[in-house]
Amino acid sequence: MGAAERRRFEELYTKHYQQPDTPYLHEDKVKTLDRDNCGRQRTCHIGLKVAKDFTGAAEILLGRAAKPGEEIKWGGPFDTRGEPMHCVPYRNKHVNEVRALLRERGLSIDTFQFGGETRKSVPDSMYVTGGYLSKGGMASLFVDDEPMAGKKLAIAARKLGCA
């Protein structure tokens, strides 16, 4: 993933995924057809209904499940509702612990994001602070030398509905 794609992903992550209870901009004209209100999470399979008189602009990302090893262009965080790590307490665990949690869910590690760089490997002693699905059956992890602060950890869990 190039720098421009990474910035776009982070923009979408911040605007939509980290704030799952924010309403859509055109909620009265563009409605999701959800079975369980997953539209606010923005990462589940949905239907869409657009009003005939809608004249605004909206950004809608559509996709399908990736084939094994296939690159995912605009995947979201792997811990939002409907994703394999939702409400799994992985943050602040070491890489080797999270590798085991991913394996239990049929995933392996693709890459690591550390200090603005993408790496193929990092020490198992590093802390995992987040992640996303990067390829079919694979995840990329955000890692750091230090664990997340307790307050940030609690906020992340609450935003995902896991507190």
Side-chain angles (χ1 to χ4, degrees):
M1 182 179 291
E5 288 177 313
R6 166 70 21 215
R7 278 192 303 277
R8 183 68 179 136
F9 171 81
E10 289 172 357
E11 176 187 318
L12 288 170
Y13 184 94
T14 301
K15 281 173 52 180
H16 299 292
Y17 299 115
Q18 285 188 329
Q19 301 171 27
D21 291 322
T22 57
Y24 288 110
L25 181 60
H26 302 288
E27 201 164 27
D28 59 328
K29 300 290 182 180
V30 180
K31 297 180 186 278
T32 58
L33 306 175
D34 308 325
R35 283 180 262 165
D36 61 358
N37 197 31
C38 66
R40 293 211 185 274
Q41 294 291 334
R42 295 169 172 80
T43 60
C44 60
H45 300 110
I46 60 171
L48 194 65
K49 183 177 181 179
V50 181
K52 290 179 184 178
D53 63 343
F54 177 64
T55 58
E59 184 171 297
I60 300 168
L61 301 175
L62 299 176
R64 59 167 174 76
K67 296 174 184 168
E70 179 183 20
E71 184 179 350
I72 298 172
K73 288 283 187 188
W74 296 107
F78 65 10
D79 58 357
T80 55
R81 202 165 103 247
E83 298 296 347
M85 297 297 282
H86 184 247
C87 291
V88 175
Y90 71 89
R91 283 188 173 89
N92 285 355
K93 291 191 183 295
H94 294 284
V95 168
N96 60 333
E97 295 173 286
V98 175
R99 182 178 285 114
L101 292 170
L102 290 168
R103 194 175 318 120
E104 289 172 8
R105 288 154 182 80
L107 299 170
S108 60
I109 298 174
D110 180 24
T111 61
F112 299 90
Q113 304 292 323
F114 176 65
E117 293 180 6
T118 300
R119 299 181 178 186
K120 281 308 248 178
S121 66
V122 296
D124 278 348
S125 60
M126 292 190 85
Y127 294 93
V128 177
T129 59
Y132 60 95
L133 299 174
S134 54
K135 294 181 180 172
M138 301 178 88
S140 289
L141 303 178
F142 293 103
V143 296
D144 205 321
D145 291 322
E146 300 293 324
M148 288 175 74
K151 188 174 182 179
K152 280 187 175 182
L153 197 62
I155 290 169
R158 190 173 63 250
K159 284 183 176 182
L160 294 168
C162 302

